[in-house]
Amino acid sequence: MKITSRDIPPRAAWALEQAGVHPLLARLFAARGIASSDDLDDSLARLLPPDTLHGADDAARFLADAIAAGKRICVVADYDCDGATACAVALRGLALLGARPEHLSYVVPDRAVHGYGLSPAVVELAMGRQPDVLLTVDNGIASLQGVQHARALGLEVVITDHHLPAVVDDRLVLPEATVIVNPNQPACGFGSKCLAGVGVMFYVLLAVRAELRRRGAFSPQEQPRLDTLLDLVALGTVADVVKLDANNRRLVAQGLKRIRAGRMQPGVAALFAAAKREPARASSFDFGFALGPRINAAGRLADMTLGIECLLTDDPQRAAELAQTLDGINRERRDVEAGMREQAEAMLEMLMPEDEPPPALAIFDPDFHEGVVGIVASRLKDKLHRPTFVFALGQDGLLKGSGRSIPGFHLRDALDLVSKRHPGVLKKFGGHAMAAGCTLEEEDFELFEQAFQQVAHEWLDPALLARTVTTDGPLEPRWFAPEVVQAIEREVWGQSFEAPVFSDEVEIVSQRIVGERHLKLTVRCGGAVREAIWFGRSEPVPERSVLAYRLSLDEFNGAQRVQMVVEALA
């Protein structure tokens, strides 16, 4: 383990502080590439314009015509939080823009039965809604056969997605859809390639509203308030772990402001209540670690319809019932995950006779649950800092694998190389640099494991295999204060704009296990004695240690105190 500190450009930090930014926040923002206070303007007026998103205007004209003609639109969703929020945004937004409720419907694939995306089987599922138009959200860009099948049945297809197109014979191939809106399609010059699926759908709605305004359907003063959907956009954006560039941070910031002011969908309010979180203090952390997992659990272990219905209902009581159901499914998901992690870690001990893991890991057990393999792969990757695939047996008898990677190892490209070296082993595969999936026969697992490890052996040198935790350096004693923690929590943090983690050398005054598996510490840091906790660790730490930690507020009997939450040790 190596703990390093970010560089802090002094001029940028000084300029931010001179502009009135809190001195600690100025330092944190400067270290993350913010050069001026203008970069912190999160107003809606600063969003990238919808007409710069390739295909958005074409989609707007098509959907405006479809609404006017009374065409039946079926939204084809995905079974994760981004897909669920994008589906809710699409249905709520189209209704706001004049589509009649009886002309709107949706379908969502079953992870175990249909797999991902607009497959021919999902098109057949959607036909039960008697649609004229299929509108995909968070999927479709690689669904060549599904789109072809839909068009053969006489359906129009509008794709809204953010994933990468399919690669056929080493070239990108787009489906023959009526319209495609995706910032990552080759022809798109949109200024943010990091929009989540829900963000793409929100932009399409903005374009539809502008088109209807041009047609005289309403004036700027009377137009529908699409900003009422920003709580859903913010939730899906953070939960999908997309890069929080400036445009995404504005979307999330706007959603958080509305939630803190009590303006949110009943389902979002119910999820906050189920997670025992306070909307008035909502943070991006809540989206990623409280609300998002409860929605995702439905797609992993049950039916994502539950998550979508929670976000669609306007009945607070119904929303509360659905949120409680999702909470129960999430508890079940945690139990399943814990059992799989224990099994996987026991298997790893056999793979690591000398405590040194191989350059990459591939794990399979017949008892693993297909819906949780991605989470377990992520946990093992974090623990061992190795590219990791975890496989489960699917209902069709094939192994379904989900992988997570480390910086410097492009997971999809690794799968591509395995497929070229061993044709036919991978029945299908896809993904991107840090996460990918693949399907193979059970009898080919050992061959895949060897081939995957061989690629990792060739691509990864010891420097890349050494885990590094990047921090914001030491924290001045004066910033250990509740109001500072609250100021940090109000900001938008996430992927590629990481929440602050500090590092200090401390003296361990005392340490003990609490709750069976958490290490409670009292440390001397910066001349003061402070409380710290390390969740999920039971091994003692040396008397003098360098700790990487974040700040949190520990509340007891109405009093607040700052607590160090330990992330790593060097």
Side-chain angles (χ1 to χ4, degrees):
M1 173 66 66
K2 183 180 180 182
I3 293 178
T4 63
S5 297
R6 292 184 176 85
D7 291 330
I8 304 171
R11 288 189 178 181
W14 180 84
L16 291 170
E17 193 170 345
Q18 291 300 303
V21 177
H22 185 286
L24 177 59
L25 290 176
R27 166 184 146 189
L28 298 174
F29 290 148
R32 287 157 178 76
I34 301 297
S36 74
S37 57
D38 286 346
D39 297 332
L40 299 173
D41 182 354
D42 59 17
S43 64
L44 288 175
R46 292 294 304 277
L47 285 177
L48 293 170
D51 60 7
T52 61
L53 179 61
H54 182 71
D57 284 346
D58 291 336
R61 286 187 287 271
F62 177 86
L63 290 171
D65 288 343
I67 292 171
K71 290 188 176 181
R72 294 182 296 275
I73 301 171
C74 180
V75 176
V76 180
D78 185 26
Y79 43 66
D80 67 358
C81 186
D82 186 18
T85 52
C87 182
V89 163
L91 292 168
R92 285 184 174 277
L94 290 171
L96 284 171
L97 294 170
R100 294 169 60 179
E102 62 268 27
H103 293 160
L104 298 174
S105 62
Y106 74 92
V107 294
V108 58
D110 183 308
R111 179 190 297 263
V113 176
H114 304 106
Y116 169 77
L118 181 65
S119 63
V122 171
V123 173
E124 291 296 330
L125 182 67
M127 289 301 291
R129 309 295 193 269
Q130 298 183 314
D132 301 304
V133 178
L134 296 184
L135 169 62
T136 74
V137 291
D138 192 33
N139 74 92
I141 192 66
S143 301
L144 305 180
Q145 293 179 338
V147 171
Q148 186 179 43
H149 186 59
R151 298 304 296 270
L153 292 173
L155 302 179
E156 302 277 11
V157 182
V158 177
I159 290 174
T160 72
D161 200 356
H162 69 127
H163 296 95
L164 297 175
V167 177
V168 179
D169 297 329
D170 292 327
R171 64 186 183 89
L172 296 178
V173 180
L174 297 177
E176 296 179 359
T178 309
V179 186
I180 297 175
V181 187
N182 183 336
N184 290 303
Q185 62 179 308
C188 190
F190 189 64
S192 170
K193 298 296 185 181
C194 308
L195 276 178
V198 67
V200 176
M201 188 61 232
F202 181 70
Y203 261 81
V204 169
L205 292 174
L206 292 176
V208 174
R209 186 176 67 178
E211 175 65 21
L212 291 172
R213 217 169 38 234
R214 282 190 288 271
R215 298 182 183 192
F218 35 70
S219 67
Q221 295 74 29
E222 299 168 338
Q223 66 183 3
R225 293 288 302 274
L226 295 179
D227 61 312
T228 59
L229 305 173
L230 283 167
D231 57 336
L232 297 170
V233 177
L235 169 57
T237 297
V238 174
D240 210 45
V241 203
V242 293
K243 180 180 178 181
L244 289 189
D245 60 10
N247 204 61
N248 277 340
R249 289 201 309 277
R250 291 183 180 110
L251 290 171
V252 174
Q254 287 292 326
L256 283 172
K257 286 181 178 180
R258 283 159 176 76
I259 291 171
R260 290 167 186 162
R263 304 197 306 272
M264 70 199 96
Q265 317 304 325
V268 173
L271 286 166
F272 268 95
K276 296 179 172 57
R277 311 291 293 186
E278 298 178 33
R281 290 178 52 187
S283 70
S284 47
F285 182 90
D286 293 323
F287 293 151
F289 295 95
L291 277 66
R294 283 167 171 78
I295 296 177
N296 279 329
R300 296 184 187 282
L301 298 187
D303 179 0
M304 183 48 89
T305 301
L306 291 168
I308 294 172
E309 287 298 317
C310 182
L311 301 177
L312 282 176
T313 182
D314 290 320
D315 180 349
Q317 183 175 346
R318 175 67 174 151
E321 293 170 356
L322 288 165
Q324 288 300 322
T325 300
L326 292 170
D327 186 62
I329 297 171
N330 190 51
R331 286 196 297 271
E332 180 187 353
R333 186 271 307 168
R334 286 199 295 258
D335 291 341
V336 171
E337 177 196 337
M340 285 175 57
R341 284 175 66 184
E342 287 182 11
Q343 287 177 265
E345 288 171 2
M347 295 167 69
L348 287 175
E349 290 182 6
M350 294 185 288
L351 293 173
M352 303 186 314
E354 299 178 2
D355 292 331
E356 180 62 29
L361 301 167
I363 306 290
F364 163 64
D365 188 281
D367 293 329
F368 283 175
H369 192 294
E370 181 183 345
V372 188
V373 288
I375 298 177
V376 176
S378 181
R379 301 286 192 263
L380 294 176
K381 180 267 299 182
D382 289 344
K383 180 175 181 177
L384 298 172
H385 195 66
R386 295 292 190 273
T388 302
F389 261 96
V390 177
F391 288 85
L393 192 60
Q395 291 186 8
D396 57 3
L398 296 174
L399 297 192
K400 307 299 176 64
S402 186
R404 299 294 184 270
S405 195
I406 61 176
F409 189 83
H410 196 294
L411 207 53
R412 192 218 164 269
D413 287 354
L415 292 177
D416 186 51
L417 183 54
V418 169
S419 72
K420 286 182 170 65
R421 289 177 173 177
H422 304 277
V425 167
L426 296 181
K427 301 301 180 186
K428 59 181 179 179
F429 68 91
H432 48 84
M434 303 305 288
C438 65
T439 301
L440 50 92
E441 298 277 0
E442 184 174 352
E443 62 192 34
D444 289 330
F445 173 74
E446 288 188 11
L447 177 57
F448 170 81
E449 180 182 23
Q450 294 167 5
F452 183 52
Q453 290 186 3
Q454 179 61 35
V455 175
H457 179 75
E458 295 169 7
W459 288 6
L460 291 169
D461 58 36
L464 291 172
L465 291 172
R467 186 182 175 202
T468 300
V469 175
T470 303
T471 75
D472 293 287
L475 184 63
E476 295 179 46
R478 61 177 173 151
W479 301 135
F480 280 88
E483 59 271 18
V484 173
V485 180
Q486 291 167 353
I488 291 174
E489 289 178 346
R490 282 193 295 270
E491 300 299 329
V492 174
W493 312 101
Q495 184 71 14
S496 299
F497 202 81
E498 288 80 6
V501 174
F502 306 99
S503 58
D504 274 293
E505 183 174 358
V506 304
E507 175 189 349
I508 307 298
V509 178
S510 67
Q511 52 185 314
R512 59 189 174 90
I513 302 298
V514 297
E516 296 186 2
R517 57 190 183 95
H518 308 307
L519 188 62
K520 183 70 173 176
L521 302 166
T522 302
V523 305
R524 184 169 283 107
C525 174
V529 175
R530 308 193 186 281
E531 297 299 313
I533 191 165
W534 195 338
F535 293 110
R537 180 180 175 108
S538 55
E539 300 87 357
V541 301
E543 184 177 343
R544 297 201 69 84
S545 302
V546 175
L547 300 181
Y549 61 92
R550 55 185 173 86
L551 300 179
S552 75
L553 283 182
D554 185 28
E555 299 190 26
F556 185 72
N557 287 339
Q560 292 183 329
R561 61 176 180 175
V562 178
Q563 179 175 240
M564 302 162 66
V565 179
V566 182
E567 301 280 341
L569 162 76

